[in-house]
Amino acid sequence: MNTIIRASAPAKVNLVFEVGQLATDGYHPVNSLFLALDLREELTLVKGEQGTGISIYVHGDSLPESHIDSVPTDQSNLVHKTAVLFAQKLGRPTPDLQIDIRKRIPVAGGMAGGSADAAAMLIAMNEFMHLEHGTPILAIEELAVIGAELGSDVPFCIYGGLAIGTGRGEVITPLTDLAFETNWLLCASSKGLSTPTVFAAFDEMGSHTPFSDLNEISATTSPAELGQKMANDLEQAAFRLMPSLRDLVDQLEQLGAVRAMVSGSGPTIAALFDSEAKAIEVSKVLKSQGLVALTAKGQAPGARLDG
Ligand code: C5P
């Protein structure tokens, strides 16, 4: 029997994203309140024929063709890098693999789509190497340490739920769940924004505020209260690079969002609603304007094996 492993990992929104001054390592210290959404990347890993290396097939679900076409399938794909790094950490050669990625998270959209792929791949590789080569199953904390080498958001995609991210975003402190379910409308752009470009625009604008106590914010009791506390230090930088985003935020709030905000480094706009029905209703309005609008719920579990 050929080994087939399925894994998935969630998208994230930063309910709060506070950014400090650029450090000498090329990263910004952050204070982030992460929430995982039930919009999940799905990955299937199949043992390949000996000597065939790694082949990656990417397809989409409710995403524009342009998003799927922009994902590389060679060794620059984060999932490929994950396979190589994971095997290296175990002191094993990189296995031959066929990997299928079903993308649901907007690409280069500030929602950790690539990081979710890496997180799902780490969970899948952990199982694959154990089944095929008898290597020990690594704990979630060990996977998060490896994940941090692949990208700052990968550890959160492994943990999921609600968590504080510090350092460059990779130091995760899990929190207890929000007291209520959150309903989101995610409006994706046809063009992505590069994370380093948005951070560079933020540096040029030079506005830093002190970090807040995110434990307090996580204890909110309603969408309205949470909406008031949502904040993203990168939002103005994203607006500067893509001015149309400001109009979209205004439009979403006029249409009834409790709060609409650039997600992470953007350009996806994450709009919080106080009911699923309202989020769906507004998604129809945006779709009729030719926009990509996806509904999702928070919170959701982190990377996991799927049956
Ligand atoms: O960690 P990740 O690979 O996702 O980061 C991509 C880029 O985003 C980094 O090379 C850096 O330019 C920028 N970044 C940053 N500060 C962070 C996270 C990312 O400046 N905390």
Side-chain angles (χ1 to χ4, degrees):
M1 264 279 283
N2 207 353
T3 306
I4 301 179
I5 292 163
R6 294 189 177 81
S8 64
K12 60 90 184 168
V13 281
N14 304 87
L15 298 173
V16 178
F17 198 45
E18 296 175 336
V19 183
Q21 215 151 9
L22 179 63
T24 47
D25 65 358
Y27 286 85
H28 296 73
V30 303
N31 189 39
S32 167
L33 183 58
F34 284 114
L35 179 75
L37 305 185
D38 66 356
L39 190 68
R40 298 180 79 82
E41 300 280 88
E42 285 175 8
L43 190 140
T44 306
L45 193 152
V46 181
K47 183 180 174 183
E49 294 287 320
Q50 198 174 357
T52 52
I54 292 180
S55 44
I56 297 177
Y57 175 63
V58 181
H59 56 114
D61 187 342
S62 310
L63 286 179
E65 283 288 302
S66 61
H67 280 230
I68 305 308
D69 293 347
S70 68
V71 179
T73 53
D74 62 7
Q75 54 207 20
S76 66
N77 186 298
L78 202 51
V79 163
H80 193 294
K81 291 182 184 172
T82 305
V84 173
L85 180 66
F86 191 84
Q88 197 185 60
K89 293 283 177 193
L90 295 178
R92 312 278 317 188
T94 306
D96 300 299
L97 297 169
Q98 286 174 23
I99 302 160
D100 176 288
I101 307 171
R102 176 185 281 247
K103 290 200 78 67
R104 290 213 175 84
I105 306 175
V107 177
M111 299 202 64
S115 302
D117 292 344
M121 186 62 181
L122 282 169
I123 294 284
M125 280 295 281
N126 201 18
E127 183 76 1
F128 179 85
M129 296 299 280
H130 175 66
L131 293 177
E132 285 291 318
H133 302 290
T135 57
I137 289 280
L138 301 188
I140 185 167
E141 293 81 6
E142 295 171 289
L143 295 178
V145 170
I146 302 174
E149 288 188 37
L150 294 156
S152 307
D153 287 335
V154 178
F156 175 70
C157 292
I158 294 173
Y159 280 94
L162 179 73
I164 294 174
T166 52
R168 54 186 170 85
E170 90 287 15
V171 181
I172 299 300
T173 307
L175 299 176
T176 48
D177 294 0
L178 282 173
F180 50 94
E181 181 181 79
T182 52
N183 287 284
W184 298 87
L185 175 56
L186 307 162
C187 189
S189 215
S190 55
K191 259 180 44 198
L193 270 178
S194 124
T195 305
T197 308
V198 179
F199 272 106
F202 169 81
D203 292 334
E204 276 174 31
M205 294 164 83
S207 63
H208 301 282
T209 45
F211 286 176
S212 25
D213 179 1
L214 298 179
N215 279 293
E216 219 169 88
I217 298 174
S218 71
T220 51
T221 55
S222 70
E225 196 188 339
L226 177 61
Q228 277 174 6
K229 292 183 172 166
M230 282 166 57
N232 180 1
D233 282 355
L234 293 184
E235 184 165 65
Q236 294 303 322
F239 285 165
R240 192 160 106 175
L241 294 166
M242 224 184 243
S244 59
L245 295 180
R246 194 189 288 273
D247 297 335
L248 188 54
V249 165
D250 289 346
Q251 188 193 6
L252 280 158
E253 290 185 351
Q254 277 158 19
L255 287 168
V258 169
R259 181 76 192 272
M261 200 171 80
V262 169
S263 173
S265 57
T268 305
I269 303 295
L272 175 65
F273 284 81
D274 56 15
S275 79
E276 184 180 17
K278 214 181 272 179
I280 292 172
E281 189 188 308
V282 175
S283 79
K284 288 180 187 156
V285 176
L286 295 192
K287 282 180 189 161
S288 72
Q289 296 172 1
L291 296 169
V292 181
L294 311 161
T295 52
K297 280 181 190 294
Q299 54 204 42
R304 65 180 181 199
L305 292 174
D306 294 327

